[in-house]
Amino acid sequence: MRRATARAALRWAALVALSAGCAGPAADVADYTGLPKWTSRAIPEARGDFRVTPDGKRVAVRYQGWTTRDFGHFRTYAYDDPRAEPPVQRVTMPAGVAGDPKKGRALFLDRVRGPCTGCHLIPGAEVWPAGSVGPDQSAIGDRKLPDQYLYQLIWDPRVVFPNTLMAPWGTMGVFTSDEIVHLVAYLQTLTGPVPPEKDPDRNPFTRRKPVGFGDNLDPTNNPAVFLTESAEALWTVRGPAGKACADCHEGGVARAMRGVAPRYPKFVKAYGRVMSVEDFLPVHAPETTGRPMPAESADNLSLTLLIKMASNGLPVNVDTSSAEARAALARGKASFYKRVGERNHACADCHTPEKGANKFLGGRLLGDVTNGLTKHFPLWRTDRSEVWGMRKRFQWCMTPLGMNMLAADSIEYAELELYLTTFDSGKPLSVPGIRH
């Protein structure tokens, strides 16, 4: 009798566990209803705005030196963008088109159109820097693959590999039908034996991985550390409203702000949305000091650096326990896995271990989200000689993918950052970082 009762109890416990398992994911399904409308408080070039030229053409307003092309034909991370991923296209290679291997090689190396070498290695000393996200194609011609098969893989590889990292070049209109015929002709010429490498760094499979830039908190090594000197003045100087940050936060920034940054991004009830430190300053500073502090402005970045540096060494500790935070987390995760833009890529394609993480995209080693990507932002970009916040890094990633960027302080980016920050939980804050 006791054994029967025990078995019944076990069955009941199993049923409860099963029910809980089914209920768990349902609670994390992304829900986009009830979100507040948000007017950007970012600097003009960080808002994702457009201007119309006299000839009626839409031109993007972006940071100096960035492309002004309008990618409006392709879906974005915007929550009010209802477009689905482009349907998979099964196609037939056109007859009567003679493939030209020379044209195919030129297309393979074209850095504006692809470049294919961002993911694939092929022979040639001028192929630099090649990537390792995709397989080495140096001798693909030896595999005797049918032309039709290769044509389909370039046009839309999802027909064969549904979870591929490769862009559907034909479906998205990046390469024309004739151009893909030329690419196929070139690939068929790649046969062995492959000449030995003269430079091991040319080959991404033997290339040395970067070792970093030394101590990021050493002011003689990281110029961003010096920017906190100007931020000290922002902290103590009174704004138009007659108040300074120091008037409300006593004891100096190092004491008053200790432990604040590790809790961001977080859901801020007063504004009904998730905010990072950079999001909070553009609304809080004008309300308290009267000083404008738009997102991605020099003042915003400097003060963010100062606030975050006060918590260096403390573990990241974002709170995702509330219903609002859990809903935001689900939306941020959905964005991370959403394929967008002209390349039809997702963040996950580059930054998860089962996809591109820890491999080379061209000459850049792709970061691994499971190791944490947020704890050192804002950071000094050595190739740009300027400080970048996390949001500008988002915008930079998405523009080359052929997607119109969102405003730096958008809710979408805040919730994506919240999701990314959960991978840094427990890891010590170390701001400012330094990266190439």
Side-chain angles (χ1 to χ4, degrees), residues 319-360:
D319 182 4
T320 57
S321 61
S322 70
E324 294 89 350
R326 292 297 302 174
L329 193 64
R331 290 188 293 267
K333 180 178 180 180
S335 292
F336 184 77
Y337 285 94
K338 181 181 180 181
R339 289 178 172 176
V340 295
E342 187 180 38
R343 299 296 192 267
N344 199 47
H345 280 153
C347 302
D349 290 338
C350 287
H351 298 296
T352 54
E354 64 272 19
K355 295 289 186 74
N358 304 310
K359 299 176 183 177
F360 283 100

Side-chain angles (χ1 to χ4, degrees), residues 49 53 55 144 147 162 174 206 231 293 314 371-372 379 382 435:
D49 291 341
T53 60
D55 61 357
K144 307 299 181 184
D147 287 352
V174 178
T206 58
M293 199 162 288
L314 295 181
N371 292 334
L379 55 72
T382 62
R435 297 289 188 276

Side-chain angles (χ1 to χ4, degrees), residues 6 29 143 190 207 211 254 278 304 320 329 412:
V29 172
R143 298 177 61 189
L190 297 179
R207 184 183 303 151
V211 294
E278 296 94 317
T304 296
T320 57
L329 193 64
E412 291 90 339

